[in-house]
């Protein structure tokens, strides 16, 4: 419930991971901002799905403040991201994730 009422989902992880929580936020229509260190960053930038911010703190702060100054982006990004997730079928993404863990184990 907290996520769906949020203005922004922020993922600052420094690891090259695929986070299912990012996909959940996208599916719910919550704007996401992710660090450029994440594996999804290239896809986000290519398709203009969500905000990708720099791992340099001062640059990231500036990017986030700039995004908040453009409220239209907070409508644009979630609509694009939600359509992207529906097209990719979250169930398939979840199954791929489970398969990945199976391979690791």
């Amino acid at each position: 419930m907290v996520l769906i009422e949020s203005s922004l989902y922020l993922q600052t992880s420094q690891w090259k991971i695929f986070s299912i929580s990012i996909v959940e936020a996208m599916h719910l229509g919550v704007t996401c901002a992710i660090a450029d260190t994440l594996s999804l960053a290239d896809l986000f930038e290519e398709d203009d799905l969500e905000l990708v911010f720099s791992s340099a703190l001062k640059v990231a702060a500036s990017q986030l403040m700039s995004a908040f100054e453009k409220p239209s982006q907070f409508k644009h990004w979630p609509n694009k991201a939600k359509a992207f997730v529906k097209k990719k079928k979250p169930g398939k993404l979840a199954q791929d994730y489970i398969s990945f863990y199976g391979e690791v184990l």
Side-chain angles (χ1 to χ4, degrees), residues 35-91:
D36 60 5
T37 56
L38 294 171
S39 59
L40 288 175
D42 291 340
L43 175 67
F44 274 33
E45 286 181 324
E46 260 177 42
D47 293 341
D48 188 31
L49 292 176
E50 302 281 4
L51 174 64
V52 176
F53 59 88
S54 172
S55 53
L57 293 179
K58 286 185 179 184
V59 176
S62 176
Q63 290 171 312
L64 290 167
M65 288 183 60
S66 177
F68 275 106
E69 291 170 357
K70 299 175 189 160
S72 62
Q73 283 293 75
F74 281 82
K75 292 180 181 171
H76 165 76
W77 282 322
N79 290 337
K80 269 192 103 168
K82 202 170 186 178
F84 175 82
V85 170
K86 282 184 180 179
K87 183 175 139 190
K88 294 294 182 182
K89 299 184 176 55

Side-chain angles (χ1 to χ4, degrees), residues 18-37:
F18 175 87
S19 175
I20 204 71
S21 58
I22 295 170
V23 175
E24 289 171 352
M26 291 169 68
H27 181 72
L28 292 171
V30 176
T31 299
C32 296
I34 67 168
D36 60 5
T37 56

